Every structure is written in C-alpha cells, then in structure tokens.
Amino acid sequence: GVLAHVRQVVAGAKLAAVDYVVEQGIMEGMSDTTFSPTTEVTRAQAVQILYNLEGKPDFSDENLGYPYEDVDAQAWYGDAVYWARITGVATGYGDGTFQPGDSITRQEFAQMLYNYAKYKGYDLSAEGDLSTFPDANSIADWAEAAMSWANGNELINGHDDGTLEPDGTATRAQAASILMQFDQNLVEN
C-alpha cells in the first residue's frame, strides 16, 4: 500500500544519502561492511566528517598544542578536533574538555555545519520559520540562528510527527542525509 511505498521511499532516500557520503569520502563505514545507520553520531565523528568534507588538511608540520584534556592528539579524530578548533567549526566546553565520545544533538550538529559554512564563506541568509514546529521553544538560544539556517536550507527538517527535536541525538543515517543536502546545495563545486 501507500504506507509501504512511503517507507520504501524514505528508506531509499536514506540509502541514497549513505551511498553518497561514503562515495564522496565524507563519511566512512563503522567497519568494512557496516555503516550502522541507527547509531548515534559522536562529537568526534561530527568534526571528523566536516574535516573529511574539507579534504583533511595536513597538520603534520604544526605544533598542535592540544587545549582539551580529554582529546588525545594521536586519536583517529585528533587532527579533526584541532582543525575544528582553529577554524571555529567546533569548540570545547568551559571546563577544558571536548567530550569527543558524547552523542551530538541535532542542534549541536546544525551549529557545527553553520560554523563550517561561515568559515567557508557560504551563503548564511536562508532562514526557516521555526515557529511552525511545536517544539521550537526547546531550541537553545545559542543554536537558534543555526537551526533556522539549517531548516531554511532543508538540511534539518521536522520528524514525521512535525517536531524538530533539537535536543535529540543525530543518527548516522540522519547525518548522511544532512551532509548530502549540504554538499549538493551549499558547497561550491
């Protein structure tokens, strides 16, 4: 029936997004054979994804001087966290930590994408009407501009129930979908 078709289309869209981000080298599988679409994205993975999108600039000649007590410079995400800090794409917390293993919320991910777009000089003028979402008042003050921009560019849309769920965690499939839209709509090819 129609519902089954809708589910297939949604699954197909997610699948297309997963294929796209893997082919473009923006996201990697969790192993050689698995993508783990329903797994939550961590803060370390989020900055690594944007670092991949940037083409993994080489920092081997730099004295990295890590400011975060919970980030190992040798970790797989070490260069990405350093790059995110110096470009303003993502920063740590006031207590001197970055919390790389924490799951990223939808509004935190929107903020990182917004910061990256700003760093790249992309158009930041698009604004979505957040008042149309029943849970718009749960968006943090610091994330409002980023969420409005992400919604205006159709990067982050409401769930089936109409909510934005800014505090909800972003899954790898959602991240793939957001990044495909970002790469296709905003990145100057």
Side-chain angles (χ1 to χ4, degrees):
V2 175
L3 261 181
H5 176 69
V6 169
R7 282 199 193 99
Q8 270 181 328
V9 170
V10 169
K14 284 225 168 86
L15 213 57
V18 167
D19 281 349
Y20 181 86
V21 294
V22 172
E23 279 167 18
Q24 299 292 320
I26 300 169
M27 290 178 77
E28 294 172 7
M30 294 292 274
S31 75
D32 288 344
T33 54
T34 60
F35 186 79
S36 308
T38 58
T39 303
E40 293 175 353
V41 176
T42 64
R43 286 174 50 82
Q45 286 172 353
V47 292
Q48 183 68 45
I49 287 164
L50 293 174
Y51 180 64
N52 292 348
L53 195 60
E54 184 61 10
K56 298 184 184 174
D58 181 16
F59 289 113
S60 54
D61 297 339
E62 307 231 7
N63 175 9
L64 300 185
Y66 271 81
Y68 305 122
E69 60 197 43
D70 59 349
V71 172
D72 175 2
Q74 304 307 311
W76 58 267
Y77 54 83
D79 281 355
V81 170
Y82 179 76
W83 166 83
R85 182 178 68 92
I86 62 172
T87 55
V89 168
T91 52
Y93 296 97
D95 64 358
T97 64
F98 187 79
Q99 309 290 343
D102 283 9
S103 296
I104 197 165
T105 64
R106 287 160 61 83
Q107 62 188 359
E108 283 175 335
F109 196 50
Q111 187 66 54
M112 280 189 195
L113 280 166
Y114 182 78
N115 294 347
Y116 178 66
K118 192 170 172 182
Y119 162 69
K120 295 296 283 181
Y122 297 154
D123 183 4
L124 297 177
S125 62
E127 289 184 5
D129 180 5
L130 297 179
S131 68
T132 61
F133 298 98
D135 59 346
N137 61 353
S138 65
I139 298 169
D141 290 346
W142 54 263
E144 261 182 39
M147 286 294 280
S148 174
W149 166 85
N151 181 248
N153 280 300
E154 298 183 6
L155 304 178
I156 293 184
N157 302 306
H159 291 308
D160 292 344
D161 64 1
T163 61
L164 262 182
E165 201 194 4
D167 285 335
T169 49
T171 65
R172 286 173 53 80
Q174 286 169 350
S177 181
I178 291 165
L179 284 151
M180 181 173 78
Q181 293 285 356
F182 182 84
D183 199 39
Q184 291 178 342
N185 298 354
L186 286 155
V187 176
E188 320 299 327
N189 292 323

